[in-house]
Amino acid sequence: MQLTMPNGVPGALDRWAHRFARGSSAIAALLLLGMWALISVEVVLRYLLHSSTLVADEYAGYMFAALVFLGLNQAIHQEKLIGIDVSGRWAKVVSHPLVRFLRNLLMLGLNLALLYAMTLTLMASMRFHSRSIHFSKTVLAYPQSLVVLGLALACFASLALLVRARSRH
């Protein structure tokens, strides 16, 4: 069975990008479900029992950050990032294969720069055993590693788009 990707380009790189996108989407969906459960428990505890989990806000924030960066992979893979529709005489220029290639190259460069910066942050957190200032004293490397994973997958998806754009050029 040959897998055809969004623009009809088959290939091993696209198949792996597709698998990673589906996997990261599944993890993001589980994180969203976990956020819902955590916030629901917090609301019930606060308003009915006048108590708190003391960690719901913090963990929901970590889950949301991981969800965003894992979801970024799917958005890049499906070419569903926010864009600008251009009509008229500029439509041909913007849709030109060279412009598409340059756009994807720029996106890959930006994702690599973000991955590098976030990896340095993660390494510093690990080196200094950084913990949150909240009640839970969470080791910050745990949530930061999910952001690094999401950015690494975004780089892979960007590379797959770049190769796809190059193959059309």
Side-chain angles (χ1 to χ4, degrees):
M1 176 179 125
Q2 186 164 357
L3 184 61
T4 303
M5 298 324 300
N7 291 316
V9 178
L13 190 63
D14 271 329
R15 282 193 299 276
W16 279 105
H18 181 70
R19 288 178 186 140
F20 288 150
R22 287 184 55 124
S24 66
S25 292
I27 293 169
L30 290 174
L31 286 170
L32 185 60
L33 184 62
M35 278 177 55
W36 172 79
L38 189 60
I39 291 169
S40 296
V41 166
E42 183 68 19
V43 167
V44 167
L45 282 174
R46 279 188 187 176
Y47 293 104
L48 295 181
L49 303 176
H50 305 292
S51 184
S52 176
T53 62
L54 300 176
V55 296
D57 295 337
E58 178 187 3
Y59 286 1
Y62 295 148
M63 288 177 179
F64 184 71
L67 186 148
V68 166
F69 284 98
L70 290 171
L72 179 65
N73 177 39
Q74 179 73 4
I76 291 172
H77 175 68
Q78 290 186 347
E79 298 185 62
K80 299 291 184 189
L81 292 174
I82 296 172
I84 299 171
D85 288 332
V86 178
S87 60
R89 61 182 161 163
W90 289 102
K92 281 187 177 181
V93 172
V94 173
S95 64
H96 190 273
L98 180 60
V99 173
R100 173 174 270 193
F101 177 78
L102 291 174
R103 183 190 70 204
N104 291 332
L105 182 63
L106 182 65
M107 181 171 44
L108 176 60
L110 177 63
N111 284 330
L112 285 171
L114 290 170
L115 177 62
Y116 174 74
M118 195 60 212
T119 301
L120 290 179
T121 303
L122 173 62
M123 289 169 57
S125 291
M126 291 170 64
R127 184 171 147 213
F128 296 115
H129 306 286
S130 299
R131 293 183 173 271
S132 72
I133 61 172
H134 298 285
F135 174 78
S136 67
K137 303 287 186 224
T138 303
V139 176
L140 290 178
Y142 299 150
Q144 288 172 348
S145 62
L146 286 174
V147 173
V148 169
L149 173 64
L151 284 169
L153 291 173
C155 287
F156 188 80
S158 298
L159 177 64
L161 279 183
L162 186 66
V163 169
R164 190 183 308 154
R166 177 68 181 120
S167 68
R168 286 192 207 139
H169 181 61

